[in-house]
Each structure stands twice: as C-alpha cells, then as structure tokens.
Amino acid sequence: MIQETDAKKIIDQARNYAQGKCQSIEITVNANNVATSRFANNEMTQNQAPEVLDLSIRVIKDGKQIRLSGDDSSEAGVKKLIDSALESIKVLKPDEELLPLEILASAEDFEKESEMASRIDEEAMAMSAQDRANQIKMMIQIASSEGLSAAGVYASGSTLQAIGNSQGDGIVCHQESSLESSITVSTPDSSGWAKMVASQLRQLDAHALADRATTKAKLSRAPHDIDPGRYTVILEPSAVLDLVTFLWGDFAATSHLDKQSCLLGKEGERVFGTNINILDDAYDDMQIGAPFDGEGKQRQKVQLVKDGVFKNMVYGRKAAKKMNHKPTGHGVTEPSSMGEHPMNLVLEGGTDSLGKMIESTQKGILLTRVWYVRLVDPARKIVTGITRDGTFLVEGGAIKHGVKNLRFNVSLLDLLNNVESMTLSNLTAGEEGFPAVVPGMKVRDFNFTEMTKF
Amino acid sequence: MDERVLRVLDIAQNLGADYADARLITKEFEEIETKGLEVSAINRGRSEGIGIRVLVKGGWGFASTSDLSRDSIEMAARRATAVAMASSGIMKKPIKLAPEPVYNCFWESPYKIDPFKVNLEDKISVLTESAKTILAVKGVSLAMGHMAFVKEMKEFASTEGSRITQLLIRSGCGIEANATSDSERQRRSYPKHVGQYELAGYEMVQKWDLPANAQRIAEEAVALLDAPQCPQGHTDVILGSSQLGLQIHESCGHPSELDRALGQEINFAGASFLTPEKLGKLQYGSHKVNLVADATAPGALGSFGYDDEGVQAQKVYLVKNGLFTGYLSSRDTANIIGLERSGGCMRANSWGYAPIIRMTNISVEPGNDGNLESLIADTKDGIYMETNKSWSIDSMRYNFQFSTEIGWEIKDGKRGRMLKNPSYSGITPEFWNSCDAVCDASEFVYWGEPNCGKGQPMQLMWTGHGASPARFKNVQVGIARK
C-alpha cells in the first residue's frame, strides 16, 4: 500500500499541474488494504484481499467549486482528472457560500497539540492470510468443542488518509493499522455474539470474543416467551452504541440550520440526565481515526453535553460562518449537504460493572446487541429496532434464562434521561455506525412493543 | 476482451488455481445534490480496477487492485491464490460449482439518452426548478434534490472459457420537501424515499417529471404537521406500490437469499426463516401472492445480462400462489442444496470486492383486483399508506415494522383524513397470508433501491422491486408511538 511520501507525491503533482489553471485545489488521497476473512458453519466462506486507492480533487475557480474522484494516481491520471474538473466547472453558477481554502496545520502542530498515541502496529499490518486463518481456526475450535456453530470475520490491514491543498506545500496525513473481529456462535435455538475493533494486535483478543459468544449462546438456549412492555434494561456497550449513534448527527450545526435536529433551540438547556457527559475527542487514547476533518482542518475536542446540558455543537467551516462561530474541525468532504459530523464520540461512563447491574436488578432484561435500528420520529428521536444474539431475563439479581427477541420503540431523549448506572467506557464496535468510546448502561422504562418468533 | 483479464487468469492457473474468474470494471459516475436553491454537491468520477476470484483445493480467495500495471495484476493474482490456500485449510467440504454454459457475448442495457451526454446545467435546472416550487409553499423548511448516473463497462472471463462484456447505464433522481414545527419533522419525497432509480438513461428523469410533483409534496409535508396521528390498533392496510416494493425487499427478498438460509451471513446480515426443508412446503402467503426474481425485466434496476460469476440472467419464482418455491442462489450455494443451476444472483458493488448473493428484481406479480381507487372503494375501514419513512426487520426476517411518510384513513370505501406518522408491523408469513387483494398491471411499477447493504465489509447494491398496491387484512398499526 502507498505510504505518506507516495501520497505527498500524488498531491504535489496535482498542485503543480493546477497552478495557474484555477484559484485553488484540494486533493484527498484515501487508501486501504484491509483484508477480510469470513467464516460460517465452522468453515471459511469468503476471503478477500483488496488494495484500494481513491483520489479526490476539489477545484475552485471563478467562485465555483466541483469535486471529481478517480483511482488513477499516475501523473497522466491526475492531469486528466484536473482537466475534467476544469471543463465541468464551466457550466456551474458561482457558489455564494463558497469559502476560500485555508493553510493546513503542519505535522508538528498536530503532534504538539494532540500528543496522540500511535495508532500504527507493524505486527497488525503484517498479518498474512494464514495468520488470519489461524485466528479463525482457534475461534471455530472454541465453539465446535461445545458442539456449536461459529460464524464471523477476522480483518487486518491498514488505512491511509492524506489531504493537501494549494494554500501551501504541506499535507496532513494519517495512517493506522486496522483490526476487526466478530463472531456469532449458534445453537439450534439461540445465539451469542461479540465484536472488537482495534489498531493494535495486543488489544484484539479473538479468543475472548469466541469465549463470550459461546457462553452467551449456551446461556440463551430454549428462550422463553416474554410479554412486551416497559422494562429496566441492562445494555451491553455495543447495544448502547447502536442506539446513541442515531443522536450524533443532532449535534451537527448544519442539522440545526436545516431545522432537523431533535435538539433544535435547546443549546444551554438540560436535555439528558445529569449523569450524561458526551465529548467529541479524536485524541482520546481509546479512539481510532484521523485527527483532521474532510478539509484537513485539525479536529478540536468539543464538550457536547456536560452534566446533561447541551453545551456545544460541532461546526464545519460553512456552518460556522453562518452561525458566527469558530469551526471545530468536524467538516465533511466538501462540497456537501451534510456540512459536518461528530466522529470521535466519548460518552463518559461510571463505575458499575455489568455484574453489579444484574445483581441490583429485581426484574429486567439484559441485551447483548440491537439490530436494524431506524429512526421513526425525528423530533422525539424515537427509534425502533430489535434485539438479537443474547437477550436474557434478569430476576432477583441474576440471569434467569434467555428470552425471545423483542422489538423496541424508544425515544433516545428519554433513554438518556433514564440512565440509572453505567460501566467504564471503552472503545466499542457495533453495526449501525462507527466505533466510539461508550459504557454499558442500566436504563429504566425501556419500551418493548412486540416479540418475534425466536 | 482486455488482455489483462485473460492474463490474470493465466497467472492464477499457473499458481495452482482449480478455477478462476476475473472482472475488469470501468465505472463513470456523476452525483448532483441540491439544497434549497443551491447546488450543494457535485461529484463526478471514474473508477477502474480488476478483481480476481480463485478456487484452490476447494477454498475461495479474492484479491483486487486499481493499479493495472503488469506487476500489480500479477501480485493480485498471487494474493488471491495465497488467500484461497489459507481458506482451503478451513473447509469441511471443498466448494463445488453448479454447472453453467460458457458464454462469449456482449450485452448492453436499454437506454435512450446517455446521461453523460446531457448538459450538467440542464440537470441542475430540473432540481432548482423543483426547489423553487417547493420553497414557494408556505411552511416548508427545506427543499432537497438529487440525481445520480452510473455507466459501467464490465469485462468478465473465467477459466471455464466464458468471455462476457456488459455495458450498464443506471440513472436516478428525486426531490423532497421538509416541514418543521416544535414537535414534528415531516418529509414528503417524490418519486419515493431516496428517489427512483432505473437501469435506464436520462429519459427516466424526464419520465418522472420532478417539477410537476414539487408543489403537491410540499403541500403535503406542511399539511402533515397538523394532521391527526395514525391510530393504534388493528385494521386493513393498503400499501402504495413503492412501500410494497420495500416490504418485498425486506420480507421476501432477503429471506430468500440462499447464503442467508444456509447460515453464511448470520454474523451480520442475519439468517432466514426460509430454511431449505421448507422449500415447496411452506405457505408463505395467500394464493394472491406470486413473488418472482426476474433479472431480465427491461429497465428495472436489478436487471443485467449476466451476473458476476458469468451466470445468465433468469426469472425464478420464489413464491407461487403463496407457496415458497425458490431461492436467490449462486453456483456454490446451488450445488449445496442440489439445484441444477445457479439462479444467477452473484454481484459485487465494484471490482474491489468479491460477489455475494444479491437480489435482482424481486416483485409481486400484478393481481386482478382493479386499480388503487377501486381497491379503496372496496375497503370499508382501513388506512392507505404511501412512501417509506423507516424500515426495520429482525435477523431471521420474521418481525418487521415499517413507517411511511403519509397515510389516509379509509371509511366506507372513501379516502378520508390525512394521517401523520403511519406505521404498521407484523410477522412475515402471517402478513403475506393476510393479503386479500393485489391491484392490476395498470398500477405496476418497477421501483429501484440503490443502496441495499449486505456482506462484511458491507457492499451496497442496486435492487429492483415491482409492485402494484395491495391490501392486507387486520394489520397492527400505530405501534411505533405506543
């Protein structure tokens, strides 16, 4: 895969060729070689090793802008892309909201200000197909030794993102190693699931994932029927993440300009319980991802919610100008309709453990994973979804038995006002959004509306 | 056929591949978005790369690259082979492929106007003209619009001898009007949520005439703010054809994917209640329900000439007179359950990823219950729901809950009050067995869904769903706001 010097060469070629042909140019290079090995029914089902490079340029000329993308990073390819942009831009009308590009922060600035831990692990990046297969063999063995069936993924590789523009000769570049593993272990009438993402091999314990999924599958055998209704729930971190991920966009300034946010007009007000604190912090030790936004602007740490009070939004440059605020380094690749998005969420946790939450619960439901969560009512932030892969009745302070999966309709505004206790926060992966640092939660009055057949 | 495609196969065979296929794809695309009266995003581009899939000792391997140099292609073939070798050590049984004839041909999707030859200004003016109309309606808070066009040249070759070249052109367009109050965010979309997409040229944009529908959706979005809520309870429901298209997608299309039914996607996308022992036995729906997977439907988004493992496009019944009769399948899964031939459903979202089983055009065949107005006239008490707003279904595809943008009360055969936040839910086979009427061909539309997600890493895919409005008896409604 290409390295930072290769990315800079591509960006310099574009800058040099565009000089004098337009007011400014911004070049983004994305590359990844993350290979994914997939297994199911205790055997390998798919195994792929792509090498992907995307080149994207934004050309600004005569008060107009256009973005073109391609994957030919040769000198001829770069020139062709710019020529095509210059031709296409002719028919556009000037964009009255267009902002001039800014000089990007230097690498030294990033290092000094962030003191960010390295997210590169050579050992993780060097994993071969056989190394992944060995991990998968071990995971399958844990399930099959109990007579159960395992399915999942083990992915490894690295990603690179680099941005440069014509306002200087530097670039911002971020490379990190990338690991992901998840496993579903099934019995004929139950299943268990576990997932992790990491940038360091030592952080990804595939053995522990397989153990956890196997234990859950066994524990949830012969699930009982249960009446839908309002229950206290204990949400494991992945379940928390796949719910609250639907709130992140409501902290984007553009969603307020568009009058779409459920937090519209509530800045400075208490919107959640006083135990809720949410940050966007790209530099948190547990985070993954680049410390700059889609325009190469350095990400700032932003306190979104403090003691339940909606304190701040995140701003891309365009929304910041309209709302007379400083941009926070959360812009997406421009031009865009979205504007910005928080990307490195840290929902501060508590000191409880899942075990203690169970012990303190007279009657409740423990959820491993929620699935197919979708927005039903944007104003009240009601989402629906359904549980899967390990749903248990808790009674008298202990897990009683597995129950059939339940559909829920829950207002996220209510949910974050009903949090009784939390575990420590950790980097967590779900399936509905990007990973974030979130805790497990015990929540009262969680609204289950229907039960399914399994 | 590009010699690089043939060379990568030679390399793979020399490295020990028992079977190999390769796809060289060149894709040109254009996306336009408007917000208010402004163009909020224009993204044009071109992508070219090669993907090679190999079978070594019964295990699959796949590798891809956008670097089409000699060295890079050779490295991709080596990576694919090494990956397949690693796979072969974790196989209970070696993978075998159901037989398929060898093809040597060119196939082109039907289109009248190449969208890449239409002036960008003309495209933008359709969207801004629509936005002007939407914003002129008092109470509208936001107008959005978009168009997307893709031209894909796909060259496929296999070590069995197939040499297939396809040119596919897809086009899409849509507008939406949003209205906001303190307690409501309401949206109306046209032609449907996320727009309409077809395997067609720019003529589809002209056909759907966005500006002519802008005022109606704007007025409806504003009216929804003060409309009564959808009631809670059980009643008869008539689904508009685009909503029924998504219902088919989620509750028939996905569960009939054979890889899901065999447990191969259980870790993420999920499994299926349509397990192989139910084939030919399960009464999936009422006798009114005929569901077909038809990759040959002209202009429908999920059509093609040949799938991404070189199987010719087919028409396969999934449900015939309510009985579960067929699967969406691939060459390897067809072999597992003893089908004579793959159903031709393997597709990848780009050269970069290995193909998986995907829906083609999964449709409910038109019935003989008249048009929408006559079906409403035949309904004593119920709700007509139109245009999807949200969708969710469990991982076995039993329990679902859908919301639509808008609904209307039906009383004594007449369309009555507008209802906001309509929702309905149910269990798939119970729901389809409650279908007592399907409108005729005069109401039939092939709707296109541009972003069906499946696989790890997730791949997005174009799927089509033909439907006429249909009626379902005694359905749970309004539970979303319970």
Side-chain angles (χ1 to χ4, degrees), chain A residues 32 36 38-53 56 65-72 80-81 84 88 91-97 129-130 132-134 136-137 140 151-153 180 182-184 186 193-195 230 254 258-264 318 334-338 369 371-380 382 384-389 407-409 431 447 449-454, chain B residues 29 33-35 38-49 60-66 75 79 82-87 89-93 95 119-121 124 141-142 144 178-185 250 254 260 262-271 332 351-356 389-401 403 421 425-427 430 455-459 476 479-482:
Chain A
N32 93 70
T36 306
R38 304 180 71 196
F39 58 103
N41 302 318
N42 293 344
E43 64 180 348
M44 196 78 91
T45 51
Q46 195 185 56
N47 207 342
Q48 48 189 351
E51 284 265 10
V52 179
L53 186 149
S56 174
Q65 64 175 334
I66 192 166
R67 177 166 294 279
L68 264 78
S69 310
D71 41 29
D72 184 354
K80 196 172 167 188
L81 199 61
S84 181
S88 299
V91 301
L92 296 180
K93 291 180 182 155
D95 178 351
E96 289 172 10
E97 296 177 353
Q130 192 55 54
R132 289 191 300 278
N134 292 341
I136 287 170
K137 266 185 198 166
I140 289 173
V153 299
E180 175 185 325
S182 59
I183 177 168
T184 301
S186 305
W193 172 84
K195 179 177 181 179
R230 289 184 181 268
T254 301
D258 292 344
K259 297 183 178 175
Q260 293 298 304
S261 172
C262 69
L263 301 173
L264 189 63
K318 201 190 286 184
E334 288 292 339
S336 85
S337 300
M338 183 191 276
R369 184 184 189 187
W371 165 247
Y372 225 130
V373 183
R374 290 293 181 273
L375 189 58
V376 169
D377 182 334
R380 292 170 62 199
I382 296 172
T384 190
I386 194 147
T387 66
R388 70 182 280 191
D389 301 326
R407 172 165 297 287
F408 54 83
N409 281 274
E431 304 289 9
N447 184 29
T449 50
E450 288 179 313
M451 184 184 70
T452 189
K453 306 278 272 186
F454 63 99
Chain B
F29 65 90
E33 287 178 22
T34 55
K35 187 173 179 178
E38 303 299 321
V39 176
S40 52
I42 290 186
N43 190 5
R44 286 176 149 186
R46 186 175 182 278
S47 166
E48 187 175 36
W60 278 126
F62 176 86
S64 58
T65 179
S66 58
M75 279 171 63
R79 275 204 315 280
V83 167
M85 281 295 289
S87 294
I90 316 183
M91 298 304 297
K92 290 191 285 192
K93 277 186 187 171
I95 284 165
N119 192 318
L120 183 59
E121 262 179 309
I124 292 169
S141 57
L142 181 66
M144 304 280 286
N178 292 271
T180 296
S181 70
D182 286 345
S183 59
E184 295 287 343
R185 311 278 183 275
E250 300 292 356
H254 279 306
R260 293 180 66 117
L262 293 172
Q264 294 179 354
E265 295 287 336
I266 196 170
N267 186 53
F268 171 60
D332 57 358
W351 51 263
Y353 296 95
I356 51 178
K389 187 155 86 175
S390 85
W391 61 101
S392 174
I393 190 164
D394 72 41
S395 56
M396 295 281 281
R397 303 277 151 174
Y398 270 124
N399 173 274
F400 60 82
Q401 179 182 306
S403 303
N421 303 320
S425 57
I427 297 288
E430 294 168 11
Q456 289 182 288
M458 185 187 277
Q459 299 188 41
Q476 170 79 55
I479 205 165
R481 297 179 65 85
K482 188 175 175 184

Side-chain angles (χ1 to χ4, degrees), chain A residues 73-87:
Chain A
S73 60
S74 68
E75 191 169 354
V78 169
K79 285 180 177 176
K80 196 172 167 188
L81 199 61
I82 293 170
D83 286 341
S84 181
L86 292 168
E87 187 59 33

Side-chain angles (χ1 to χ4, degrees), chain B residues 83-390:
Chain B
V83 167
M85 281 295 289
S87 294
S88 69
I90 316 183
M91 298 304 297
K92 290 191 285 192
K93 277 186 187 171
I95 284 165
K96 287 188 178 162
L97 305 179
E100 180 69 14
V102 167
Y103 305 99
N104 198 329
C105 55
F106 174 78
W107 188 88
E108 186 176 41
S109 66
Y111 68 93
K112 290 178 183 158
I113 305 170
D114 183 342
F116 294 89
K117 291 184 177 161
V118 176
N119 192 318
L120 183 59
E121 262 179 309
D122 292 343
K123 296 169 183 165
I124 292 169
S125 73
V126 171
L127 296 175
T128 52
E129 187 190 336
S130 304
K132 268 183 206 164
T133 306
I134 289 171
L135 293 170
V137 173
K138 193 179 171 191
V140 166
S141 57
L142 181 66
M144 304 280 286
H146 74 273
M147 288 186 194
F149 307 99
V150 177
K151 185 191 282 186
E152 197 175 35
M153 180 66 84
K154 197 184 283 192
E155 295 183 80
F156 171 92
S158 76
T159 51
E160 291 175 345
S162 277
R163 306 284 183 265
I164 301 164
T165 301
Q166 296 183 81
L167 174 68
L168 301 122
I169 290 182
R170 300 182 178 96
S171 300
C173 63
I175 52 172
E176 64 177 58
N178 292 271
T180 296
S181 70
D182 286 345
S183 59
E184 295 287 343
R185 311 278 183 275
Q186 293 294 342
R187 179 189 75 209
R188 285 292 286 135
S189 311
Y190 176 81
K192 68 173 187 59
H193 81 293
V194 308
Q196 165 67 340
Y197 289 76
E198 297 177 7
L199 186 71
Y202 192 74
E203 67 277 6
M204 69 81 67
V205 176
Q206 296 168 334
K207 177 183 77 180
W208 285 101
D209 198 355
L210 306 184
N213 289 276
Q215 183 165 339
R216 174 181 60 79
I217 63 165
E219 288 171 351
E220 287 175 351
V222 174
L224 281 167
L225 292 176
D226 297 319
Q229 292 284 358
C230 172
Q232 290 170 17
H234 285 79
T235 190
D236 294 352
V237 168
I238 297 175
L239 297 181
S241 72
S242 71
Q243 173 57 31
L244 188 57
L246 195 64
Q247 177 78 45
I248 294 166
H249 178 101
E250 300 292 356
S251 68
C252 176
H254 279 306
S256 62
E257 292 161 348
L258 186 48
D259 51 355
R260 293 180 66 117
L262 293 172
Q264 294 179 354
E265 295 287 336
I266 196 170
N267 186 53
F268 171 60
S272 171
F273 72 95
L274 292 175
T275 41
E277 77 280 2
K278 296 190 179 113
L279 193 62
K281 294 175 187 156
L282 176 76
Q283 193 66 32
Y284 172 94
S286 72
H287 70 282
K288 293 270 184 182
V289 177
N290 288 290
L291 290 155
V292 63
D294 185 1
T296 68
L301 189 64
S303 291
F304 46 80
Y306 299 83
D307 77 358
D308 285 346
E309 54 178 6
V311 176
Q312 194 168 32
Q314 295 162 48
K315 182 175 178 179
V316 177
Y317 274 92
L318 306 177
V319 172
K320 184 95 175 161
N321 298 325
L323 188 71
F324 167 46
T325 56
Y327 278 116
L328 304 169
S329 59
S330 58
R331 293 184 68 185
D332 57 358
T333 57
N335 180 70
I336 290 171
I337 67 162
L339 301 178
E340 286 183 3
R341 185 188 178 199
S342 161
C345 301
M346 285 289 266
R347 287 190 290 161
N349 75 339
S350 76
W351 51 263
Y353 296 95
I356 51 178
I357 293 177
R358 304 312 303 253
M359 288 176 232
T360 55
N361 302 296
I362 316 302
S363 307
V364 62
E365 290 189 326
N368 53 8
D369 296 300
N371 61 16
L372 175 61
E373 289 314 310
S374 62
L375 186 58
I376 289 172
D378 183 56
T379 304
K380 182 160 177 50
D381 196 4
I383 299 174
Y384 170 55
M385 298 188 189
E386 190 176 278
T387 316
N388 184 263
K389 187 155 86 175
S390 85

